[in-house]
Amino acid sequence: MINSLIKRFNIPPRDQWREAIGKLIDDRVRIITAGLSIRELRAIMRGDPPTEKPNPRYKVITTSFVAHLRPRYYPAAATWFTHTLRLGFFTTFFFVLEIITGIVLMVYYIPFPDQAYGSVLAIESNVFLGEFLRDMHRLGAEAMVVFSWLHLLRTYFTGSYKGPRSFTWLTGVILLLITAWLSFTGYLLPWDQLAYWAVTVGTSITESGPVVGPALNLLMRGAPDIGTGGLLRFYLQHVILMPLLAILLISIHYYKVSREHSISLPAVVEETEMDPEKKKEATRRIDLIPDLLSHELFLIALGLFITVAILYFRGFASPLETHANPQQTPLDTKAPWYFWWLQGILKIDPASIIENLVNPLFEMFGLSYRVELSRLLDSKFIMGLMVPPALVLLLMAIPYIDRNPSRLARKRPFAIAWGVAWIFIVLVLSYMGTPEYGIETPAATRIIQDLAPEEGEGPLRLIPYPELENRQMEYIVGQDYGTDLCPGLSYYPDPESHPNDIVVGCPHLTEVFQTFSRRLIDAQIDGRLPGLNAKLIVEQLQADVVKVTPHVEWTDPSTGQAQTYYHIYFLHKDRAMDAH
Amino acid sequence: MKRIQLEIVLGTLLVLLTTAMVVVLGFREPQRLEQYVVQQRAELIEFGATVFTNNCTSCHGSLGQGVAGVAPSLRDAHFFTERLAEVGWQGGLEDYIISVVTTGRQISTRPQLYAGMTGQAPVMPTWSEKFGGPLRDDQIRAVAAFIMNFEPYALGLVPTAVPLGPVVDESTPEGRGQVVFAAQGCTACHAISGLSTGNVGPVLDGLASRAGNTVAGLSAEEYIHQSIVDPNAYIVPGFAEGIMPQNFAELMSEDQLNDLVAFLLTLE
Ligand code: HEM
């Protein structure tokens, strides 16, 4: 019986067992590593040369699918840190991080307007490490946008888009668009005021297009206003369409780099006369296994460490404002900061610029003719629908516009200056795109909004509850209350962890009232708020809720009519005092 | 050490540090979740307070204290302790509030007390956008959380804060009358500059000057008295009959009524 089993399973005699088991394990290892033996693995770890011939480390690249996407080696100089700054690598890193965190978030998220916000709240309040996960996904998204822009700048300044790599550049520009659209579609999903209005304003740009404009707008929003249809559309694009497109395009982009052209050599190596010794060193092969791979594993560890450390030390928090409310447009609708430059472009009105330039000339020469372009040129259409696509085309055309064969910075001063100029232009446009720039808000509204923006914190909401509790006061602007509004008050801001810290009076409330008074009185002096009559009312509404009302009355300088603006804020004792 | 070994060592170290941070976060997580739930409830109540102020104060009063003849108080002991049994509701109070607010009330369960603002059905409109009202579900949940938060005041667990308003001298009939004016909920319907902003009934500024020559044969004092105890005897042009509650005479003592009239006579 036993003998027949031994025969059947081909079991060798006892003295050969050790060897046989060794071979069995080695075979398994070779299968798992696509060709590396245990001995080879050990040599790799030690930094020893290959143990067999032909080099089994190259074999991995032909046998393994994942490894076949990678190059066998790069020339040493192409891997210099100063050359690539690892920017393309980190863009990919964050993309993968987004996929992983995104899949987990998908488990909890519900893409319907009446449940989306609640499901995000549940992720924050009811899912183990849910806030961490959401923050990581949001931080990763911003990082991916930043790194793809930086990566673009680096390939521009090293002239790597030239010659055979112009197609790589083209796929890169498409990836930039995909990244932008990924982040934009994701922005809507929390379904809070921030998301809803940023996306409403963003999609409204298409409306101004001729003929197909309204249809395009309808297609994107799924209805005249963003609702169930729009949210579902954005969700599916965000979790299926765009990631798949991104994977496809990244593969093409990277294939060009890894299998066809390699990473460009730094221009100094390629184009200048170098000491032959140095040149040899610079073009020496750096193999994927083990050098590139171990370096990349190290970069992954570094990237994870930095991301987690930022979240650990609370350097980043995803915003979550109040539930989206289609009936109430916030005063400042905020696009995500990396789209401010676009919002800045939209604030430029070409028609009035031309009018202001040309009409004074007509006047100088005594002509009565005046150019009136505003009727002909729709600024939203030009700046929103014509300029951005034109900029994208320009970006794509760079390799074909720039015919200068050299990649050396000093031989392409024009291209470098042009690049630096664009960085400035984008920064200025971004500044113009900030919600406050170029938008006139009535003085009283602006002053109250600055104290307590409709969304987010602001100094008024950061007044600690004890300073307001049972205060029951109307503080009149212009009256002298001394240096502190609450004589006799003292409280322990943090009795648990700092039992000895005591605050005397109400410094925060006082500060807020003083700022409020100072800005109103300034506005009264410079004529924006004549007949000013203002107060800050603090009332107790419930046992643990106070009601704070900044209240301003004035006479409108142009119409002479009495005006009132006030805003009521409710502050609960247990409200979060830091952005979570 | 070769670069590759350095990278392996450093990389391992970084992975360990990263893991350590995640583990620490994991240990803190139950506490964070607990705190987040508390803060979330606080923010829900704040949001509910805004919803309440924007939609409900015209009937239920600026502090939820109710308006005589119009709508009940939502912050008294009766509402928190006996109301559910009175209407035979099986579930909890918060659910009751959500249900009443969602659908509204076609007719009052207490028509002798709350005939409604217009004297016509519904006494309280439907609020849910599902039935044509203005509020989303999350807003209704928020306003319910806000009303529930009146409990400590309603049950007297925490002394109620004295309402803020112009300082009144309660030793004079006019001063006491002003208090009655607020306490009876006249403020919900009538505006007096600096005092109230109700806009259902006429503005009462200048009432004392016009009251004497509104109805032939009635002095200013008699006209005002009649306007309160028998509002339908004379309807101010531009307003409908039956909006102002008819039962104020039963809700006030004779003294209170006289003080109230004395106060209204000061509105030159
Ligand atoms: C999702 C976005 C992108 C990813 C994941 C990505 C990834 C990469 C990677 C991994 C490399 C290898 C070299 C390196 O690390 O620098 C690379 C090279 C390159 N990328 Fe990208 N890239 C992206 C976007 C872009 C953009 C926006 C551009 C420019 C328009 C661009 C242009 C190039 C060019 C020209 C090269 C060749 C560089 C050389 O040979 O020196 N890429 N990309």
Side-chain angles (χ1 to χ4, degrees):
Chain A
M1 209 332 241
I2 291 187
N3 276 341
S4 73
L5 273 181
I6 287 179
K7 252 213 184 108
R8 203 157 156 197
F9 289 104
N10 223 345
I11 296 176
R14 193 175 283 254
D15 52 328
Q16 289 168 28
W17 277 15
R18 203 185 133 90
E19 204 181 321
I21 292 177
K23 185 165 174 328
L24 216 68
I25 296 176
D26 202 53
D27 282 351
R28 284 293 124 191
V29 171
R30 277 177 195 262
I31 289 170
I32 291 168
T33 60
L36 301 179
S37 64
I38 298 180
R39 220 155 64 91
E40 186 63 34
L41 280 180
R42 195 188 301 137
I44 287 173
M45 292 300 227
R46 288 179 171 175
D48 291 345
T51 55
E52 292 164 34
K53 271 194 181 161
N55 186 345
R57 299 176 191 178
Y58 288 159
K59 193 173 167 230
V60 176
I61 291 164
T62 29
T63 30
S64 148
F65 171 75
V66 179
H68 105 282
L69 300 170
R70 313 298 321 269
R72 278 162 212 271
Y73 55 82
Y74 280 138
T79 68
W80 286 348
F81 184 78
T82 48
H83 181 54
T84 68
L85 302 172
R86 308 296 181 260
L87 295 168
F89 176 83
F90 275 113
T91 316
T92 320
F93 168 82
F94 283 111
F95 179 67
V96 176
L97 190 71
E98 287 307 275
I99 301 238
I100 297 169
T101 50
I103 288 176
V104 187
L105 287 174
M106 248 177 104
V107 174
Y108 302 100
Y109 179 76
I110 306 170
F112 296 101
D114 52 347
Q115 291 174 56
Y117 183 80
S119 71
V120 175
L121 269 185
I123 290 174
E124 301 245 357
S125 66
N126 208 2
V127 174
F128 188 78
L129 287 182
E131 184 189 45
F132 176 71
L133 205 68
R134 181 170 174 246
D135 286 348
M136 193 179 257
H137 193 70
R138 193 125 185 164
L139 178 62
E142 295 195 4
M144 187 176 160
V145 173
V146 172
F147 275 94
S148 52
W149 276 100
L150 292 177
H151 171 58
L152 177 150
L153 287 178
R154 126 44 203 156
T155 51
Y156 180 82
F157 284 115
T158 59
S160 304
Y161 54 85
K162 299 196 173 197
R165 293 190 184 83
S166 50
F167 182 71
T168 318
W169 173 269
L170 189 70
T171 54
V173 177
I174 299 173
L175 275 172
L176 193 70
L177 297 179
I178 292 180
T179 311
W181 193 247
L182 261 175
S183 69
F184 190 68
T185 48
Y187 208 74
L188 179 67
L189 304 187
W191 204 249
D192 58 353
Q193 280 285 77
L194 180 72
Y196 183 85
W197 288 100
V199 173
T200 297
V201 173
T203 49
S204 75
I205 296 174
T206 53
E207 223 169 3
S208 60
V211 196
V212 292
L216 203 64
N217 191 42
L218 203 61
L219 192 68
M220 274 211 289
R221 291 185 178 174
D225 291 317
I226 301 173
T228 317
L231 180 56
L232 200 57
R233 249 156 247 234
F234 270 58
Y235 176 68
L236 293 177
Q237 290 187 50
H238 185 72
V239 302
I240 299 177
L241 182 63
M242 284 298 137
L244 286 184
L245 275 184
I247 290 173
L248 180 68
L249 262 288
I250 291 177
S251 310
I252 297 175
H253 186 73
Y254 189 67
Y255 186 81
K256 290 283 150 194
V257 178
S258 72
R259 304 307 299 255
E260 204 174 347
H261 312 303
S262 155
I263 296 182
S264 59
L265 278 175
V268 265
V269 179
E270 207 170 59
E271 293 182 27
T272 58
E273 291 300 319
M274 276 176 101
D275 169 11
E277 259 321 289
K278 276 202 188 139
K279 181 121 184 172
K280 199 166 160 233
E281 171 58 28
T283 47
R284 177 175 63 92
R285 289 176 172 193
I286 301 279
D287 283 343
L288 176 70
I289 303 173
D291 301 78
L292 294 179
L293 214 54
S294 62
H295 182 60
E296 284 170 5
L297 287 176
F298 168 72
L299 290 182
I300 291 173
L302 185 70
L304 279 177
F305 173 75
I306 294 176
T307 314
V308 172
I310 289 176
L311 298 180
Y312 184 86
F313 294 105
R314 309 205 57 77
F316 181 89
S318 327
L320 187 61
E321 300 189 338
T322 48
H323 194 289
N325 185 353
Q327 262 81 49
Q328 185 201 340
T329 321
L331 184 65
D332 308 319
T333 51
K334 274 204 197 90
W337 59 265
Y338 41 85
F339 282 135
W340 281 355
W341 62 276
L342 250 176
Q343 202 160 295
I345 290 184
L346 279 171
K347 286 187 192 165
I348 300 175
D349 179 6
S352 74
I353 292 178
I354 298 179
E355 282 171 13
N356 290 339
L357 279 179
V358 177
N359 286 341
L361 286 181
F362 284 129
E363 200 172 340
M364 225 162 72
F365 293 110
L367 295 171
S368 63
Y369 181 75
R370 294 284 177 274
V371 184
E372 278 184 27
L373 281 173
S374 342
R375 286 208 212 119
L376 295 172
L377 299 180
D378 175 1
S379 136
K380 201 172 178 185
F381 171 59
I382 296 177
M383 300 319 276
L385 276 187
M386 306 287 282
V387 173
L391 287 178
V392 171
L393 285 181
L394 181 69
L395 201 59
M396 287 180 170
I398 283 180
Y400 313 104
I401 297 173
D402 178 10
R403 310 296 327 182
N404 178 352
S406 175
R407 291 176 43 227
L408 269 179
R410 67 183 136 85
K411 290 201 183 151
R412 47 197 287 263
F414 197 72
I416 302 282
W418 184 234
V420 174
W422 270 102
I423 296 181
F424 275 104
I425 292 174
V426 169
L427 287 181
V428 170
L429 284 176
S430 295
Y431 168 70
M432 287 172 56
T434 51
E436 289 79 16
Y437 178 89
I439 296 210
E440 280 294 321
T441 315
T445 316
R446 183 81 267 160
I447 292 169
I448 291 180
Q449 285 288 322
D450 284 351
L451 276 186
E454 275 165 67
E455 301 288 350
E457 293 296 339
L460 191 149
R461 287 203 188 81
L462 288 174
I463 301 174
Y465 184 77
E467 296 193 5
L468 300 166
E469 187 170 26
N470 282 323
R471 195 119 296 279
Q472 299 301 81
M473 273 295 283
E474 276 189 20
Y475 295 102
I476 317 274
V477 168
Q479 237 174 67
D480 184 11
Y481 293 97
T483 52
D484 193 283
L485 292 187
C486 325
L489 177 77
S490 65
Y491 66 96
Y492 296 90
D494 188 3
E496 263 150 47
S497 32
H498 299 95
N500 294 326
D501 284 2
I502 185 166
V503 175
V504 177
C506 52
H508 297 84
L509 175 60
T510 308
E511 164 89 36
V512 165
F513 180 67
Q514 284 171 350
T515 316
F516 181 56
S517 308
R518 183 165 33 75
R519 290 194 56 190
L520 284 171
I521 291 171
D522 284 351
Q524 183 186 26
I525 292 172
D526 66 29
R528 282 176 296 155
L529 294 177
L532 175 73
N533 179 9
K535 55 197 173 186
L536 184 72
I537 311 167
V538 185
E539 290 163 278
Q540 192 76 29
L541 180 60
Q542 290 182 327
D544 44 14
V545 176
V546 284
K547 173 175 169 186
V548 183
T549 320
H551 193 287
V552 183
E553 290 168 11
W554 73 101
T555 355
D556 188 293
S558 47
T559 63
Q561 277 186 351
Q563 302 276 336
T564 310
Y565 180 79
Y566 66 95
H567 204 297
I568 303 176
Y569 300 93
F570 299 98
L571 304 177
H572 190 288
K573 180 162 133 276
D574 296 329
R575 75 192 320 279
M577 293 301 277
D578 55 25
H580 38 243
Chain B
M1 227 189 318
K2 290 195 183 130
R3 169 163 143 175
I4 164 167
Q5 284 155 333
L6 187 72
E7 280 178 343
I8 290 174
V9 171
L10 268 181
T12 315
L13 202 70
L14 287 176
V15 169
L16 287 178
L17 278 175
T18 311
T19 318
M21 284 191 286
V22 176
V23 169
V24 173
L25 283 179
F27 271 111
R28 288 196 207 144
E29 193 64 359
Q31 196 199 342
R32 185 197 71 78
L33 288 175
E34 213 171 283
Q35 195 191 351
Y36 196 97
V37 170
V38 171
Q39 292 172 349
Q40 201 175 307
R41 179 82 186 170
E43 270 154 45
L44 190 69
I45 290 170
E46 290 177 0
F47 182 44
T50 311
V51 176
F52 189 82
T53 309
N54 292 342
N55 299 286
C56 321
T57 48
S58 59
C59 292
H60 289 283
S62 61
L63 302 172
Q65 77 279 33
V67 173
V70 177
S73 166
L74 301 174
R75 57 183 288 173
D76 60 9
H78 173 81
F79 180 65
F80 278 90
T81 53
E82 289 155 43
R83 182 63 182 152
L84 289 186
E86 199 173 284
V87 293
W89 181 266
Q90 303 294 325
L93 185 58
E94 194 158 345
D95 290 336
Y96 172 68
I97 298 173
I98 291 176
S99 144
V100 177
V101 178
T102 301
T103 55
R105 278 270 158 85
Q106 212 48 35
I107 41 170
S108 171
T109 51
R110 299 157 281 189
Q112 71 291 359
L113 285 183
Y114 306 111
M117 186 102 110
T118 59
Q120 293 159 356
V123 287
M124 172 152 111
T126 292
W127 291 103
S128 167
E129 72 183 354
K130 286 192 196 118
F131 311 130
L135 300 183
R136 298 184 311 265
D137 281 354
D138 66 292
Q139 288 171 309
I140 294 177
R141 277 196 302 276
V143 84
F146 169 73
I147 294 173
M148 287 304 287
N149 200 41
F150 272 123
E151 188 162 7
Y153 272 2
L155 304 184
L157 306 176
V158 175
T160 314
V162 185
L164 186 71
V167 187
V168 290
D169 178 2
E170 291 198 42
S171 62
T172 63
E174 294 82 15
R176 289 194 298 272
Q178 184 178 335
V179 176
V180 175
F181 187 78
Q184 290 294 336
C186 317
T187 46
C189 296
H190 292 288
I192 296 178
S193 47
L195 201 68
S196 67
T197 54
N199 59 0
V200 176
V203 176
L204 295 185
D205 288 326
L207 176 67
S209 330
R210 67 173 182 263
N213 26 21
T214 308
V215 176
L218 288 187
S219 71
E221 192 175 344
E222 285 162 343
Y223 170 73
I224 294 176
H225 189 274
Q226 176 194 301
S227 297
I228 299 170
V229 299
D230 186 9
N232 288 351
Y234 169 80
I235 304 295
V236 181
F239 294 88
E241 189 176 331
I243 297 179
M244 180 156 158
Q246 323 284 305
N247 58 347
F248 278 122
E250 299 149 32
L251 296 170
M252 282 180 269
S253 69
E254 196 61 32
D255 286 345
Q256 284 176 320
L257 192 57
N258 291 335
D259 290 342
L260 183 57
V261 173
F263 163 65
L264 293 176
L265 277 170
T266 64
L267 302 173
E268 295 289 345

